[in-house]
Amino acid sequence: MLLCRLFFLNINYVIRSCFNHIENSITACPAWEEERLVLGATIENDLSLPAVVQAMVGGQPEWDAVASFCEAVMSAKEAAERERERAAVLLSRRNNRLNSILISQASKSW
């Protein structure tokens, strides 16, 4: 029972967290200002989540505008994630080489 409750709490947190990230991306994040202006011009500048959802189901141009905004944001976020992963791999390799050098030097001193 405790495990189920913890799972439910974690899922609830993830859902709320994702929802907050979506709302932040649409309404506030400065990284998406240009995309937000284009989206706002298409859906009458009301970027609240209920208004965005209503606009999406209101017509094809609105749907396309929201889809374009989402694709631009997701593409940029995925590119940033790939860059973080690449940097982590490079750092790990550098640390492995450094460890090998230190171990080699330590074994020579014995």
Side-chain angles (χ1 to χ4, degrees):
M1 183 69 171
L2 178 61
L3 185 58
C4 290
R5 202 175 317 164
L6 288 174
F7 177 77
F8 177 74
L9 290 174
N10 285 335
I11 293 297
N12 256 354
Y13 173 77
V14 169
I15 290 169
R16 279 194 312 271
S17 178
C18 289
F19 191 77
N20 289 340
H21 288 296
I22 293 167
E23 188 170 36
N24 181 62
S25 293
I26 292 174
T27 61
C29 183
W32 318 120
E33 184 67 29
E34 187 175 322
E35 292 84 355
R36 187 180 305 110
L37 291 173
V38 173
L39 177 62
T42 305
I43 63 171
E44 301 177 8
N45 289 317
D46 185 354
L47 298 177
S48 65
L49 287 178
V52 169
V53 171
Q54 187 172 0
M56 288 173 68
V57 298
Q60 192 63 45
E62 292 83 0
W63 178 274
D64 292 341
V66 174
S68 178
F69 177 86
C70 292
E71 288 171 12
V73 170
M74 291 306 299
S75 293
K77 288 183 176 190
E78 288 168 353
E81 178 64 22
R82 284 191 299 274
E83 182 58 31
R84 282 191 297 276
E85 289 171 353
R86 188 186 71 76
V89 166
L90 292 175
L91 181 61
S92 176
R93 287 180 185 165
R94 190 184 123 246
N95 287 341
N96 287 342
R97 283 193 297 266
L98 182 58
N99 285 339
S100 294
I101 291 168
L102 292 173
I103 290 170
S104 174
Q105 289 175 351
S107 65
K108 289 178 184 177
S109 67
W110 286 94

